[in-house]
Amino acid sequence: VDVFRSDDKFLPGKVAVGMAYVLVNTPRSDSRFKRYLSGYRRIADVTIDDVNETWGIYYYAQALHMLQKEGLLEQAISPATLAKLRTRLDWRTFVRVDDLSLIDLPNNYIGVAFSVARLRYELGWEDASASEALLQRTLSHYRRYSGEYGFADETDGKGRFDRYSVLLIGEISHRLIETDMPASDEVRAWLRKSVDLMLLRLNLRGEGFEYGRSIGAYGETAFLEVLTAAAKLGVLSAEELEMAYAYSSRVSARYMD
């Protein structure tokens, strides 16, 4: 159908992770479960040769990790398709192996590469060395270019700060959470700085950032990403936790409406 010709280079990964949420949250006793399981297998076969890059690779690897944790991976993906995915869902497609530099991509993609490497490790496809090195590279960049206030410059010191500068530590935190890696005190401190800025911007309408790139839905879900990570990592007070929950509920309602 036309949607599969939308020039979305992440689409197979988006479909995979979106449908993975449906599959893993359907009770095995539900009469729809077997149909969803076979449907997932067909979708994976249909989309295996479509373009899927960077974020799409991460989304797909995340989907496989979700299925693996539920004991569904081998049932939801055919052996032939899984073999192709093991080759194609690789951080090396957009990172140079020799120095771990990105291939014509902005710096936040280092975090995407770390995520893919860590998920490949979780899937048993490689050892932990690449993910650990990429994480250190991500944190070193953040440390070097965030300055005293703790908000990341997306460039190498050229001073581009916007919504993403506040969001990035939330992204990093979620990648640690989903792959069961500990967050350092330094990461928690950076996350707290983003929380401090966001708490000042809470409003009854559930509106997020109104400036910079990706305003609109992304401007609002940026708050969800940071506040939920902060809740999970225990950097919110009891009152702030209630504030974050109330605001997140308004954002979610706004997003759905």
Side-chain angles (χ1 to χ4, degrees):
V1 297
D2 286 344
V3 69
F4 286 96
R5 291 191 290 273
S6 65
D7 297 323
D8 185 341
K9 296 179 180 180
F10 313 148
L11 188 59
K14 290 177 180 178
V15 172
V17 76
M19 294 300 101
Y21 277 106
V22 174
L23 189 57
V24 303
N25 286 291
T26 300
R28 309 292 174 93
S29 58
D30 192 308
S31 60
R32 298 170 295 178
F33 181 77
K34 288 185 178 179
R35 179 162 58 89
Y36 289 172
L37 188 61
S38 73
Y40 198 98
R41 194 177 177 102
R42 289 198 306 275
I43 289 171
D45 290 342
V46 166
T47 61
I48 186 60
D49 292 320
D50 293 343
V51 174
N52 190 47
E53 300 177 359
T54 58
W55 278 102
I57 292 173
Y58 160 64
Y59 295 141
Y60 216 132
Q62 183 186 26
L64 298 186
H65 185 232
M66 291 168 62
L67 295 171
Q68 181 192 54
K69 288 199 294 186
E70 293 294 321
L72 296 172
L73 183 57
E74 283 72 25
Q75 299 173 66
I77 309 285
S78 69
T81 295
L82 188 59
K84 287 184 179 180
L85 289 171
R86 180 168 181 166
T87 299
R88 297 177 186 180
L89 302 181
D90 199 328
W91 55 273
R92 297 168 188 85
T93 61
F94 57 99
V95 174
R96 298 178 183 90
V97 178
D98 55 347
D99 61 357
L100 299 184
S101 62
L102 292 162
I103 302 172
D104 300 323
L105 290 168
N107 282 309
N108 62 294
Y109 279 80
I110 300 172
V112 181
F114 154 68
S115 303
V116 174
R118 185 65 186 180
L119 288 166
R120 285 179 60 85
Y121 165 70
E122 293 283 328
L123 289 164
W125 292 354
E126 63 178 75
D127 63 29
S129 59
S131 61
E132 291 170 356
L134 286 162
L135 176 59
Q136 290 309 309
R137 186 174 178 84
T138 301
L139 297 179
S140 293
H141 174 84
Y142 201 102
R143 189 179 300 116
R144 182 174 181 182
Y145 294 111
S146 66
E148 62 181 302
Y149 299 108
F151 300 107
D153 178 357
E154 195 191 49
T155 67
D156 290 336
K158 296 178 182 177
R160 184 161 79 180
F161 295 89
D162 66 3
R163 171 200 66 91
Y164 209 88
S165 302
V166 187
L167 168 63
L168 183 56
I169 193 60
E171 282 193 354
I172 293 171
S173 297
H174 275 288
R175 303 299 85 82
L176 297 174
I177 291 167
E178 70 190 10
T179 55
D180 299 317
M181 294 185 76
S184 66
D185 290 342
E186 185 179 39
V187 168
R188 291 171 188 269
W190 286 330
L191 184 62
R192 180 68 223 189
K193 289 179 182 292
S194 287
V195 167
D196 288 341
L197 188 146
M198 285 186 168
L199 289 178
L200 298 173
R201 305 184 65 83
L202 301 192
N203 58 82
L204 296 177
R205 300 172 303 281
E207 294 175 354
F209 289 107
E210 70 288 324
Y211 65 89
R213 295 162 296 154
S214 301
I215 58 174
Y218 283 143
E220 273 119 37
T221 55
F223 280 69
L224 293 183
E225 195 152 11
V226 169
L227 294 175
T228 53
K232 185 74 173 178
L233 294 179
V235 303
L236 300 179
S237 69
E239 182 180 30
E240 289 167 346
L241 198 61
E242 290 188 17
M243 292 167 63
Y245 180 81
Y247 181 76
S248 296
S249 298
R250 289 178 182 270
V251 170
S252 299
R254 180 179 173 86
Y255 190 78
M256 294 305 295
D257 291 342

